[in-house]
Amino acid sequence: MSGWKEKMDAARGRAEIDLVLRRARLVNVFSGEIHLTEIGIDRGKFVGIGAFEKARREIDLDGKYVVPGLIDGHVHIESSSLCPEEFCALLLSHGVTAAVVDPHEIANVAGPAGIRYILDALSPLPFNGFVALPSCVPATDLETSGARLAAEDLRPFVDHPRVIGLGEVMDYPAVLEARPDMTAKLELPVRHRDGHAPGIAPQDLNAYYLAGMTTDHECTTPEEVLERLRRGFYIMLREGSAARNLLALLPAVTGENASRFLFVTDDRHVTDLLREGSIDHLIRLAIRAGCPPVRAVQMATINAARAFGLAGLGAVAPGYQADFVVLNDLERFEIEAVYWGGERQSSRGSRPRFSHLPAPHLKNSVRIGNWSADRLAVRPDGPAPGGTVRARVIGVREFSLLTDALERELPVQDGLVQSDPARGIAKIAVIERHHASGRVGVGFVEGLGLQRGAVASTVAHDSHNLVVAGMSDAEMDLAVRTCVEMGGGFCLVAGDRVLGRLPLPVAGLITERPAEETADALDELHRLARGLGAFAGTDPLMTLAFLSLPVIPELKLTDRGLVDVHSFQPVPLLL
C-alpha cells in the first residue's frame, strides 16, 4: 500500500488492513485519557483509531488495555551480563520494544570492535535498539582502559541507522573547559547528546546544556532535578540494580512538568530483570507511589521518544510503528502480550529466541602479566605507633553509586596495613587487565558487607579492570587467579576454596548462557556472599563494580590509586 489514496482509505476504514484490535481500552499518551476504541494496523504501522470493518485478521481484546511499546532511555546491555540477543528478548517479554543503548562498557575493553559487535547484534532483531556512541573512553585519565576513543574513532559510526547520538558525557569538566578532545566529540554530527553530571554546580549547568546535553540520569535529590528542569533538561528517573533513585525523585514530578521526565534502568542485573522487570517495573513502582497511571505510561513512552527525537515511536497513533503492549490490569501493569511492528513477540511473559552473533575476537581479554600476591601489600610510610595507621577508606552507601571519603585507623601487623573485619573494613584492589602493565591500585572499603573471604570481578566500571575485595591477601590472590583463568567473570573465595564463579568470556563482561542459567549462577553467588557476611539487601557484585568509577563522588579506586572525584585528583591512601 504505497500510494496516497491507499493510505488514506486505510486510515478512514475503507480499505482492508492487516489487523484490527477490537474493543481496546487505549491509554492515550497524547490526550491523557483512557478510551474504548478500535485500533487499525497495516504493514507494521498504526493506521489509526476509531472503527475498521475490513481486516485480514482481528483480535477482540474485550476491554483489555493497550499502551505503546515501552522505551528505556538509557541502558548498558553489558550490566545484565547477557549477550545483546538474550537481553533484547528479555526486554520484549517485559513490554520494552525500544532502548537507547550505550556500549561504553564493552568499548572500554575492546574499543571500536566492541561498538561494532553491539550494532551488528542489534540490527537483525525485532527490537528498536538505538546506540549512543561512548563519549568518554576512558572516563578519565585517572584509570587505564583497554582502548581510547577519540572523535575520529567514533566518526565512522555516525551514519549508522541505529546510532542516535553521543552517550553519557560524564567528563563534564572537559566540557566546561572546552578541551579540544571533548569539543571534537561534541561537534560530531549527531542529533542527541546524553548528560551525566553528578554534583555539577547549578551555574555550570548553563554551559553544559549549551554544549548540547539535554538529558541527565544522575540526579539524586529533587533540588538537583529542579535546577535541571529550569534550564530545559529532560530528567531520567533511574531504577537500576545499584542506583535506585526513582522514588526519591518522583515527588519532583508534577502535572505541570511531567512531560520532561522519562524512565531509565541504566545498569540492571539479569536477576532483577527476570524477577522484577525492566521499565514495566518502574511503572509499577511509580503507580504504587501515587503517580497517576496514565502519567507513568507517558514517562515510559512518548516522553522518551520526544527526548531523543524518535519520530514514529512512543504512541498509538496514525503513522506510528505498531509497537504496543496489551495489559490485563493497568495499575498492576499485568502484561498479556507484546507486539513489535504489529507482530506478537511475547505472550504472558514468554519471550522470543534469537540466535547469537559469535564473538571470538572479544574473548581472552584478561591480561595481567606476571602476577604475585605481594602486589596487594600496603606498607606504612614510617613507624606505626600503637600498631595502627590512619588511612582514607571508601565508604559504601546502600543502593547508591555515591561513596563517602572516610578516614579510619587501621591495624598494622608484621609491617603491613591490614583489613579490619570487626568494623567491616575490607582491602580492595584494582588490577589493570588490558595491557599487562602490572599496575595495581590498593585501598580499603567500609560497608561492602564482607566479614571474611574475597570477591573478584572483571566488571568494574568504567574501564573494567579486575577489581577484588577481601579480608586477606591470600584469598584475594586466589580470587584474582580464578578470574584470569575464566577469561573474566565473577568469583567468590573463602580460605583456600573457590566457592562460586560465573565466567563472562565475551570481553570479561558478557556470557553466552541463557538468562535463566545466568540468573541462577548469580543467585548462587549472592547466597554465598551472604554466607561471607554480605548484607541480605545489598548486591556486593554490583556494588563492587562501581567502586572503581572515578566520575561518581566521592572517593573511588582505580589501577592508578585513590581518586578524589570532586577534584578529579589522585590522593594518597595513608594520611
Side-chain angles (χ1 to χ4, degrees):
M1 194 169 58
S2 57
W4 276 99
K5 183 65 166 63
E6 290 84 355
K7 291 180 181 179
M8 298 305 104
D9 285 347
R12 298 171 71 190
R14 296 184 174 185
E16 188 177 54
I17 59 176
D18 289 336
L19 174 65
V20 61
L21 307 177
R22 302 203 187 279
R23 294 198 293 168
R25 201 175 299 276
L26 176 61
V27 179
N28 196 308
V29 296
F30 289 135
S31 63
E33 61 179 328
I34 301 171
H35 58 97
L36 197 65
T37 186
E38 293 183 354
I39 301 171
I41 297 169
D42 197 69
R43 301 199 178 188
K45 293 188 176 182
F46 297 113
V47 295
I49 59 177
F52 299 90
E53 294 184 5
K54 304 174 182 179
R56 284 173 280 278
R57 190 163 57 101
E58 63 179 59
I59 300 174
D60 185 353
L61 294 182
D62 192 22
K64 290 183 172 67
Y65 296 90
V66 172
V67 302
L70 310 182
I71 301 173
D72 191 335
H74 175 70
V75 64
H76 304 287
I77 292 175
E78 307 94 314
S79 294
S80 71
S81 302
L82 301 176
C83 64
E85 298 88 352
E86 192 75 6
F87 177 81
C88 291
L90 188 51
L91 260 60
L92 283 167
S93 72
H94 287 284
V96 180
T97 57
V100 179
V101 171
D102 184 342
H104 77 206
E105 317 297 356
I106 198 166
N108 266 283
V109 176
I115 301 174
R116 178 63 61 189
Y117 164 71
I118 296 294
L119 285 168
D120 289 347
L122 290 175
S123 291
L125 302 180
F127 184 85
N128 301 312
F130 301 102
V131 167
L133 297 174
S135 66
C136 298
V137 175
T140 73
D141 289 329
L142 297 167
E143 57 188 328
T144 305
S145 63
R148 299 187 70 88
L149 295 182
E152 291 311 305
D153 299 307
L154 301 177
R155 193 175 299 278
F157 296 102
V158 165
D159 293 329
H160 192 287
R162 289 187 178 268
V163 169
I164 196 173
L166 200 61
E168 48 188 347
V169 184
M170 60 186 73
D171 191 1
Y172 64 81
V175 176
L176 302 179
E177 296 165 14
R179 296 176 195 163
D181 57 338
M182 178 57 71
T183 299
K185 294 175 186 176
L186 296 175
E187 290 176 345
L188 289 170
V190 294
R191 62 186 178 187
H192 179 79
R193 296 166 187 84
D194 187 24
H196 179 291
I200 190 173
Q203 193 68 22
D204 288 339
L205 282 170
N206 296 332
Y208 197 55
Y209 187 86
L210 193 63
M213 272 56 71
T214 55
T215 55
D216 198 340
H217 59 272
E218 288 297 339
C219 295
T220 58
T221 67
E223 291 74 22
E224 288 180 313
V225 168
L226 188 57
E227 291 290 356
R228 285 159 176 75
L229 285 176
R230 287 170 173 169
R231 289 161 174 84
F233 284 85
Y234 279 93
I235 306 302
M236 296 171 164
L237 300 179
R238 172 178 59 188
E239 190 73 10
S241 290
R244 306 188 181 200
N245 309 120
L246 189 151
L247 295 180
L249 301 182
L250 198 60
V253 182
T254 68
E256 291 76 20
N257 65 23
S259 65
R260 306 299 291 184
F261 290 85
L262 59 146
F263 290 144
V264 306
T265 60
D266 197 0
D267 297 285
R268 198 150 174 80
H269 266 186
V270 60
T271 49
D272 291 333
L273 286 170
L274 280 169
R275 285 168 197 157
E276 295 178 337
S278 176
I279 297 298
D280 57 324
H281 172 61
L282 276 65
I283 292 175
R284 286 188 284 269
L285 277 180
I287 292 173
R288 286 200 296 267
C291 180
V294 175
R295 183 181 297 171
V297 171
Q298 289 170 323
M299 289 192 286
T301 57
I302 192 63
N303 291 7
R306 286 170 171 164
F308 292 99
L310 301 177
L313 296 181
V316 176
Y320 279 68
Q321 184 168 310
D323 304 340
F324 62 96
V325 185
V326 179
L327 303 174
N328 294 316
D329 185 278
L330 177 58
E331 294 208 359
R332 294 198 301 269
F333 212 81
E334 182 182 302
I335 296 176
E336 172 70 20
V338 182
Y339 290 73
W340 182 89
E343 297 295 330
R344 187 166 59 188
Q345 302 296 324
S346 172
S347 296
R348 299 180 181 178
S350 68
R351 64 179 187 272
R353 299 293 176 180
F354 305 130
S355 58
H356 298 171
L357 181 70
H361 59 299
L362 297 176
K363 296 183 178 180
N364 302 311
S365 65
V366 183
R367 297 176 286 271
I368 66 172
N370 294 323
W371 169 255
S372 167
D374 293 341
R375 308 299 302 280
L376 298 169
V378 177
R379 294 176 173 82
D381 296 330
T388 64
V389 294
R390 194 159 186 81
R392 288 183 171 87
V393 173
I394 301 170
V396 171
R397 297 188 192 180
E398 190 174 13
F399 299 127
S400 176
L401 304 187
L402 299 173
T403 59
D404 295 313
L406 307 176
E407 295 182 7
R408 296 288 187 262
E409 294 290 333
L410 296 179
V412 176
Q413 183 178 343
D414 299 326
L416 300 177
V417 183
Q418 306 291 326
S419 59
D420 190 343
R423 291 188 293 164
I425 301 175
K427 182 181 284 187
I428 181 171
V430 177
I431 304 161
E432 193 279 310
R433 62 107 164 172
H434 306 293
H435 311 290
S437 68
R439 197 160 31 247
V440 181
V442 183
F444 293 90
V445 57
E446 178 179 306
L448 186 60
L450 292 180
Q451 295 176 348
R452 62 190 184 92
V455 56
S457 169
T458 52
V459 179
H461 300 280
D462 275 332
S463 288
H464 297 290
N465 288 302
L466 200 164
V467 60
V468 57
M471 290 301 176
S472 77
D473 290 0
E475 291 167 314
M476 293 171 70
D477 174 53
L478 178 56
V480 168
R481 294 180 185 276
T482 302
C483 274
V484 174
E485 177 188 296
M486 292 190 296
F490 304 115
C491 75
L492 284 172
V493 165
D496 59 359
R497 293 178 53 235
V498 177
L499 299 180
R501 67 182 84 193
L502 171 59
L504 301 174
V506 179
L509 303 173
I510 291 171
T511 178
E512 294 169 313
R513 294 186 187 183
E516 289 85 358
E517 285 186 23
T518 305
D520 287 346
L522 281 170
D523 274 345
E524 178 63 9
L525 288 175
H526 292 152
R527 185 189 70 78
L528 292 167
R530 287 194 291 275
L532 298 179
F535 306 126
T538 64
D539 183 340
L541 297 175
M542 183 69 86
T543 302
L544 185 67
F546 283 98
L547 295 181
S548 59
L549 180 57
V551 294
I552 302 287
E554 176 170 355
L555 188 65
K556 293 295 195 296
L557 180 71
T558 78
D559 64 299
R560 297 176 183 271
L562 281 176
V563 176
D564 180 332
V565 180
H566 287 304
S567 65
F568 277 96
Q569 295 293 324
V571 292
L573 171 61
L574 301 180
L575 298 166

